[in-house]
Amino acid sequence: PTSATNGWGPYEKDMSNGEQAAGDGKTLNVAGQTFQKGLGVHAGSTLTYNLNGQYDKFDASVGVDNEVGKGGSVGFQAYLDGAKVYDSGTMTGGQAAKTVSLNTTGKKELKLVVTDANRPGVKVTVPTVKMTDVPASATPAPGATPAAK
């Protein structure tokens, strides 16, 4: 990402958000389904990506990481050029991942936001994140899935 804030420690690539140290997460897991790729974040996070109009589509799955159990609740939002284009509503631990598919043609910025849905301390997993039609010279897109703590 071109900028990142995370509610607890650093965001993690290809693992859940662990504690305060980088690389201390576990395998991404939403409702018993594990994922090898993704981003691990903690509620209260924002990851911003510079698209430069060079991407056509953003696909992802979002969910609460199993590390939280059934007690956590979060909201996942996506913004394109400052406009909210996706809101998962409140998601809870144990709930299956939701699919996000956005047309990003001509867009300059993608912002991924995880809120605490009035219940702080939750890990969120975005098990699959994919940008399509990316020229070799483009700014790297999210290559992993966001997981929030």
Side-chain angles (χ1 to χ4, degrees):
T2 54
S3 70
T5 59
N6 195 38
W8 183 255
Y11 80 93
E12 302 283 3
K13 182 176 178 185
D14 301 335
M15 66 180 67
S16 68
N17 181 221
E19 297 301 325
Q20 291 293 314
D24 63 356
K26 298 178 182 175
T27 301
L28 298 167
N29 188 322
V30 175
Q33 183 177 1
T34 60
F35 300 88
Q36 297 305 308
K37 295 287 186 182
L39 299 173
V41 299
H42 187 286
S45 71
T46 301
L47 301 176
T48 304
Y49 294 87
N50 185 2
L51 302 179
N52 289 325
Q54 298 179 7
Y55 299 88
D56 294 328
K57 192 172 183 185
F58 170 80
D59 292 307
S61 298
V62 298
V64 176
D65 198 273
N66 273 14
E67 288 182 45
V68 175
K70 297 192 184 275
S73 65
V74 299
F76 178 83
Q77 300 166 346
Y79 295 79
L80 289 170
D81 293 344
K84 187 190 297 184
V85 294
Y86 179 81
D87 190 327
S88 68
T90 299
M91 297 185 70
T92 59
Q95 182 178 356
K98 291 185 178 181
T99 301
V100 181
S101 185
L102 305 173
N103 179 346
T104 60
T105 302
K107 301 301 181 185
K108 295 179 181 177
E109 180 183 84
L110 170 66
K111 186 182 297 185
L112 306 176
V113 177
V114 176
T115 67
D116 66 13
N118 297 316
R119 201 151 176 200
V122 180
K123 294 182 180 186
V124 175
T125 294
V126 183
T128 60
V129 175
K130 181 180 178 184
M131 298 295 291
T132 57
D133 295 329
V134 181
S137 63
T139 302
T145 302
K149 178 179 179 181

